[in-house]
Each structure stands twice: as structure tokens, then as C-alpha cells.
């Protein structure tokens, strides 16, 4: 859309330059329809050539798109070679970009005043200042580029916050492995024995300081298990009770993860099934007065009574943008019939433990595959992928939009300067200085720039407000962000307009007054 605005702007400038040409054609008998067809045909030829270039670029840059692939083990076979569908899509875009932007210039060419144009002195037959339509187009381009850059800046800030976000556990010294002995024919009892043997092997590895098992480690992929929490002294009617995320943790899990225990203790090997550990968000939700440790809860469909034996510090288990209330239950016999996750804490760089980890698991039983063995940093890469991708996409679009806006405004200013040479010659002859001319050109450029900046900032703030859930730890209405974007846009556009302004200041009055 911004590119179409740019093309329309340039075609309007070309239509002004060709007024005399169109007047001669009309005087020789060309009707309005023929003049319109001429302009539209020229625009379509340009769009067709652009479509061919777009197809070449699509084929040449297809490997770059793969950099946006998700960081997961599953192979992602994305065939990005341009095919007939892509060709057809580009043809449609060429038709749109070739016809729509040329409609207004074609109408302007068809409505040419033959007597005025032929009686005027060449290029000075029309005002040098951009028409209201061209001013609106330039403003739209600047508004679009400003909006893109502002949202890109917010995404980059959000990604920076995520990289440094305190997860509530030691994410720099953890290795995570997912496996499921039951899928290899193990019974629940045999699976428990296998896990015990695997833990002994992993804890004996050089560089491993501790290890523990949980049914699902933080930021797992899939649906989470929810448990109903009954109200104090009440009952759950028709599943009306709130449901809380529930995980099953083995002994030493919180110590291994580096999750702080704010009160109480974590699970032991002889933990009764009636003991649970909760996190701080759940404790604050359930007991706003600060109680929690030693309190009783009724959970599950049958309202089973459990006792809170520990309260952990705040840590993220699912989403980066929120801290979910969570209940931990002891890892029991029923959990060994499903998928499990082993967490190993390392003293040094965790990546060096991955290979020994896999070899240790194969030494216990080669039939049980380790479905995913990676560091916690690698695991978080999947979570941060949407934020990285959005940051890159909006940054690329913002840069391209800024280039289009700069070209549009610089083109409008350059065209205005070329049309106003006689005016500048008159001003210089009656006492104006080159600095006055340069200042005037830059002032006219600012009049085109400022409205687009204001509208673009308002659009960006409104759009960011609507999608603020995608920004983590960022104030989407922070005025400093929009001020920096506006300064960057102003600087680049002003630099692009300095050339035409210098050209205006160097005009020779004698040459300008003698020119047609």
C-alpha cells in the first residue's frame, strides 16, 4: 500500500511535467480516454517489469525466509521455491500496482486545459508546490513508516526485556530431557525403577550437581493439566470451581531448578500423597491475608483434602507475560504411566553435558528414547521465537517503509525545486539570500513531514494498545519510544531533503530568469 502511494506520487509529478506534451496531444485530436489509456499503459509496463524483478528476488532470497523457522527438533520442510501460484499472485499485484496508482494521474492528464498549457511557458505552467493530493500521499507514507518503526521499536524493547527476564529459576545451568518409558512397554512400576536408575546415572556424570524428575518442566508444549480448587466450606457445583495448573514433581526438583522456597519445604522421597507445594501467586490468590503454609485445601473432582507443605517463590512455568497460580503434587505411581521430564543442574556450561546425558540414558535402556535433550536456554528459544520473529518482521517492514517515505518526500521536494527555479531567480534578484531559499525549502519539507509523523505516532500507539498482550515488560505508551522514532524519521528525511535545498540555494538568478 505504501509502495502504491509512492508510485502514485511519482506519477502525479510526471503528469505535471507532461502537461505540455498532453496538451499538444489533445490539440492534435487525442481524446480524454486515449490520454488515460496512455498513462495507464505506461504504469502497467513499469509494474510488469517490477513483477519480473520481484519474481527474481523471491527466488534469490528464498533461503533467507528459513531464518524465521521455529527452533524445534521436528524438521520443517518448507518449499519456498516460487511456483505458478506465486507467479499468479505477483501478476495480480502487478495489475493492482500498475493500474490503481495510475488512475488519478491518468484523470489529471485527461483533464488538461489545452489553451492554458499551450499558452504557458514550458515547465512553469503549473505551481511548483505539490498538489494537495501529493501532500496527502507523502503524509500517508510518512505515517505508515512511523507506525511500523514505532511498533518495531516496542517489539525490540520487549525482546530485550525477555532476554533479561527473571524466570524464577536458574535457566543458565539446566539440561532438560523428555522421555516416556510407558511408550516402550514399561508398566508404571517398571517405569519408576527405570527413572530411579536413570537418576543415579545422571547424578554421577561429571559436571552434574543434581537431578530430579517432573511430569512437565517449564515451557512445555501441549495442554496443561488443571485441577479444581474447592472453596473453603463450600462445594463445586457443575464445575463452577476455579481450575489451577497442576504439575507432579519428584524429590529435589525445586532445588535442582534453583526455585526458591519462600516457606516450608519441598517434597521428600517419603512424601504422603496429601502434601502439596504451591507457588506465591496461588497463595496470594487463595489467602490474601498472607497465610498458606500448613493450610488445608480441597482439590480435584472429589474434593480431596491436602495440606500445603511448601510455598515456592514466583517463577514462570507457561507464559512469559504472566505468573500463573500453580499447584505441585508429589510424583506418584500414576504419573509414571505417562510422559516424564528429567532436569539436571550443571556446575558449568550445560551444553557440554548433553552428549554424556544421552549416552547415560542409552546405557540404562536403549529402548527408551530421549525425545528432547536440550539446555533450558535452547528450550526458551521456542518461547521467544514469536517475539524474535515479530521484531525482525516489523523492523524489516519499518526500514522498507522508511525508504519509501524518504523517497516519496525527497522526490516531491526535488520536483518542487525544479519547478520553482524561475521563482527562486526572482527572489534572489530582489534581495533573498541562498540561505533564505534553503531554509524555505526545508520549511516546506517539514510541513509535509510533521502531519505524517503525528498521524503515524497516533496509529502506532493505538495499534500497540490493541496488541499490548504481545509486549512483555514494555509500556506501549511510553512517550520516549515515540520521540526517538520521530527523531530518527526526521533526521533521515531531512538529510534526504538537504540535497534539493542546497540545489535551490545555488541557483544562478540570470540562468533562472532566462529559462522558460
Amino acid at each position: 500500500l505504501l509502495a502504491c502511494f509512492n508510485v502514485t506520487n511519482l506519477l502525479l509529478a510526471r503528469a505535471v511535467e507532461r502537461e505540455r506534451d498532453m496538451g499538444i496531444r489533445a490539440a492534435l485530436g487525442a481524446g480524454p480516454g486515449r490520454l488515460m489509456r496512455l498513462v495507464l499503459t505506461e504504469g502497467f509496463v513499469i509494474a510488469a517489469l517490477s513483477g519480473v524483478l520481484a519474481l527474481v528476488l523471491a527466488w534469490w532470497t528464498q533461503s533467507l525466509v528459513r531464518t524465521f523457522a521455529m527452533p524445534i527438533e521436528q524438521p520443517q520442510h518448507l518449499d519456498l521455491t516460487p511456483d505458478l501460484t506465486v507467479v499468479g499472485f505477483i501478476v495480480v499485484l502487478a495489475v493492482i500496482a500498475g493500474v490503481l496508482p495510475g488512475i488519478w494521474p491518468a484523470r489529471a492528464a485527461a483533464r488538461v486545459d489545452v489553451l492554458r498549457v499551450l499558452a504557458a511557458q514550458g515547465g512553469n505552467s503549473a505551481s511548483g508546490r505539490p498538489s494537495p493530493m501529493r501532500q496527502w500521499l507523502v503524509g500517508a507514507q510518512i505515517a505508515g513508516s512511523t507506525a511500523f518503526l514505532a511498533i518495531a521499536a516496542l517489539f525490540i524493547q520487549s525482546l530485550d526485556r525477555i532476554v533479561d527476564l527473571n524466570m524464577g529459576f536458574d535457566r543458565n545451568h539446566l539440561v532438560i530431557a523428555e522421555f516416556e518409558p510407558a511408550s516402550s512397554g514399561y508398566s508404571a512400576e517398571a517405569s519408576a525403577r527405570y527413572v530411579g536408575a536413570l537418576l543415579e546415572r545422571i547424578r554421577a556424570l561429571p559436571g552434574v550437581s543434581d537431578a530430579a524428575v517432573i511430569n512437565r518442566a517449564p515451557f512445555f508444549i501441549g495442554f496443561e493439566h488443571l485441577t479444581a480448587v474447592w472453596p473453603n466450606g463450600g462445594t463445586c457445583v457443575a464445575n463452577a470451581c476455579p481450575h489451577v495448573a497442576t504439575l507432579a514433581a519428584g524429590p529435589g526438583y525445586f532445588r535442582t531448578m534453583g526455585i526458591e522456597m519462600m516457606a516450608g519445604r519441598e517434597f521428600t522421597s517419603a512424601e504422603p500423597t496429601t502434601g502439596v507445594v504451591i507457588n506465591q501467586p496461588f497463595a496470594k490468590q487463595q489467602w490474601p491475608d498472607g497465610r498458606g503454609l500448613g493450610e488445608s485445601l480441597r482439590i480435584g473432582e472429589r474434593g480431596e483434602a491436602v495440606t500445603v507443605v511448601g510455598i515456592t517463590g514466583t517463577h514462570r512455568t507457561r507464559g512469559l507475560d504472566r505468573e500463573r497460580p500453580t499447584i505441585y503434587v508429589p510424583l506418584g505411581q500414576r504419573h509414571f504411566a505417562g510422559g516424564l521430564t528429567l532436569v539436571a543442574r550443571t556446575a558449568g556450561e550445560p551444553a557440554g553435558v548433553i552428549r554424556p546425558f544421552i549416552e547415560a540414558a542409552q546405557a540404562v535402556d536403549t529402548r527408551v528414547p530421549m525425545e528432547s535433550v536440550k539446555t533450558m536456554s535452547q528450550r526458551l528459544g521456542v518461547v521467544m521465537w514469536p517475539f524474535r520473529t515479530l521484531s525482525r518482521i516489523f523492523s524489516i517492514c519499518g526500514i522498507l517503509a522508511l525508504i519509501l517515505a524518504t523517497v516519496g518526500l525527497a522526490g516531491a521536494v526535488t520536483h518542487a525545486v525544479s519547478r520553482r527555479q524561475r521563482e527562486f531567480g526572482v527572489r534572489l534578484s530582489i534581495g533573498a539570500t541562498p540561505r533564505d531559499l534553503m531554509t524555505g525549502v526545508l520549511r516546506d519539507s517539514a510541513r509535509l513531514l510533521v502531519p505524517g509523523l503525528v498521524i503515524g505516532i497516533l496509529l502506532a500507539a493505538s495499534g500497540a494498545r490493541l496488541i499490548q498482550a504481545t509486549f512483555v515488560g514494555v509500556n506501549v505508551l511510553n512517550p520516549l519510544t515515540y520521540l526517538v522514532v520521530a527523531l530518527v524519521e526526521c533526521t533521515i528525511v531531512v538529510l534526504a531533503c538537504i540535497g534539493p535545498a542546497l540545489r535551490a540555494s545555488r541557483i544562478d538568478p540570470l540562468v533562472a530568469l532566462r529559462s522558460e
Side-chain angles (χ1 to χ4, degrees):
L1 187 60
L2 294 178
C4 287
F5 287 165
N6 197 297
V7 173
T8 304
N9 193 6
L10 297 177
L11 291 179
L12 282 171
R14 180 172 171 80
V16 173
E17 293 294 333
R18 298 180 63 186
E19 274 192 333
R20 189 173 181 83
D21 173 31
M22 292 298 179
I24 294 174
R25 291 175 183 268
L28 293 176
R34 180 162 187 151
L35 296 179
M36 288 187 67
R37 287 198 302 273
L38 174 64
V39 176
L40 291 176
T41 301
E42 291 175 348
F44 182 76
V45 171
I46 295 174
L49 294 175
S50 302
V52 174
L53 180 59
L55 190 60
V56 173
L57 288 175
W59 177 82
W60 182 50
T61 60
Q62 56 180 304
S63 60
L64 298 179
V65 184
R66 294 190 176 92
T67 61
F68 293 99
M70 291 186 66
I72 57 178
E73 293 80 7
Q74 286 76 11
Q76 302 168 65
H77 300 292
L78 301 177
D79 185 8
L80 300 174
T81 305
D83 55 8
L84 291 179
T85 304
V86 177
V87 173
F89 183 71
I90 291 179
V91 169
V92 172
L93 287 182
V95 172
I96 295 174
V99 175
L100 293 183
I103 291 178
W104 192 271
R107 291 185 61 189
R111 294 182 301 192
V112 63
D113 187 341
V114 178
L115 295 179
R116 178 183 63 82
V117 171
L118 295 182
Q121 292 186 353
N124 295 314
S125 58
S127 171
R129 290 181 172 81
S131 64
M133 180 65 177
R134 293 186 63 200
Q135 293 179 8
W136 183 87
L137 291 171
V138 170
Q141 293 176 67
I142 294 173
S145 64
T146 303
F148 265 115
L149 286 176
I151 294 180
L154 292 173
F155 273 118
I156 292 173
Q157 290 181 56
S158 178
L159 180 60
D160 184 63
R161 299 289 193 280
I162 292 172
V163 170
D164 298 328
L165 186 66
N166 181 14
M167 300 293 179
F169 52 80
D170 186 4
R171 64 180 183 179
N172 297 320
H173 297 88
L174 295 175
V175 175
I176 311 294
E178 296 177 350
F179 58 99
E180 189 174 353
S183 63
S184 301
Y186 275 76
S187 63
E189 294 80 4
S191 178
R193 291 193 296 271
Y194 169 82
V195 170
L198 180 60
L199 281 173
E200 289 183 8
R201 286 269 187 173
I202 299 301
R203 287 170 179 157
L205 290 176
V208 175
S209 58
D210 208 344
V213 176
I214 189 172
N215 62 341
R216 286 183 168 182
F219 303 109
F220 60 88
I221 298 176
F223 296 103
E224 59 188 357
H225 177 69
L226 300 177
T227 300
V229 178
W230 291 43
N232 293 329
T235 59
C236 284
V237 180
N239 295 325
C241 288
H243 286 65
V244 178
T246 305
L247 298 172
Y253 168 74
F254 302 105
R255 180 183 66 251
T256 302
M257 287 288 293
I259 298 174
E260 183 181 6
M261 296 298 299
M262 305 302 296
R265 56 175 176 79
E266 60 178 302
F267 298 132
T268 63
S269 56
E271 185 69 39
T273 58
T274 57
V276 297
V277 174
I278 61 176
N279 64 354
Q280 275 191 323
F282 179 79
K284 293 178 180 178
Q285 173 183 293
Q286 192 73 12
W287 297 283
D289 57 359
R291 296 179 296 125
L293 185 63
E295 298 289 338
S296 296
L297 283 174
R298 297 175 65 196
I299 61 175
E301 300 301 325
R302 299 181 179 180
E304 177 185 359
V306 294
T307 302
V308 177
V309 298
I311 301 177
T312 72
T314 299
H315 59 279
R316 287 168 170 80
T317 58
R318 193 63 170 161
L320 295 172
D321 57 335
R322 59 192 181 278
E323 301 163 350
R324 293 175 59 84
T326 306
I327 298 176
Y328 291 90
V329 298
L331 191 68
Q333 198 75 14
R334 69 182 187 279
H335 299 112
F336 288 102
L340 299 169
T341 303
L342 192 147
V343 181
R345 185 182 181 89
T346 64
E349 179 62 35
V353 181
I354 292 180
R355 172 59 63 180
F357 192 111
I358 296 175
E359 293 174 351
Q362 291 176 344
V364 176
D365 192 339
T366 57
R367 296 178 301 162
V368 182
M370 295 289 109
E371 299 174 5
S372 173
V373 183
K374 59 176 64 174
T375 66
M376 179 58 78
S377 298
Q378 293 172 336
R379 189 179 180 95
L380 286 172
V382 180
V383 182
M384 291 190 287
W385 173 80
F387 301 95
R388 293 187 188 275
T389 303
L390 289 173
S391 300
R392 293 171 182 173
I393 289 177
F394 272 91
S395 297
I396 293 172
C397 292
I399 293 173
L400 293 176
L402 179 59
I403 293 174
L404 289 174
T406 304
V407 169
L409 182 55
V413 174
T414 302
H415 179 255
V417 169
S418 66
R419 300 286 297 177
R420 298 172 64 187
Q421 287 194 27
R422 188 175 182 84
E423 174 194 337
F424 291 152
V426 172
R427 290 191 176 191
L428 290 172
S429 64
I430 62 176
T433 64
R435 181 177 180 180
D436 294 334
L437 298 184
M438 184 175 178
T439 303
V441 172
L442 292 177
R443 188 186 304 114
D444 291 340
S445 303
R447 290 173 182 170
L448 296 176
L449 173 65
V450 172
L453 281 177
V454 173
I455 295 174
I457 289 175
L458 293 177
L459 286 174
S462 301
R465 185 71 175 174
L466 290 175
I467 59 172
Q468 62 179 344
T470 59
F471 301 105
V472 178
V474 174
N475 178 14
V476 297
L477 299 180
N478 183 10
L480 182 61
T481 301
Y482 300 100
L483 178 61
V484 171
V485 170
L487 290 176
V488 170
E489 184 111 15
C490 286
T491 302
I492 294 176
V493 172
V494 169
L495 289 176
C497 296
I498 284 180
L502 288 173
R503 179 183 172 188
S505 67
R506 295 170 181 170
I507 289 177
D508 188 341
L510 295 180
V511 175
L513 292 176
R514 283 200 304 264
S515 65
E516 289 188 345

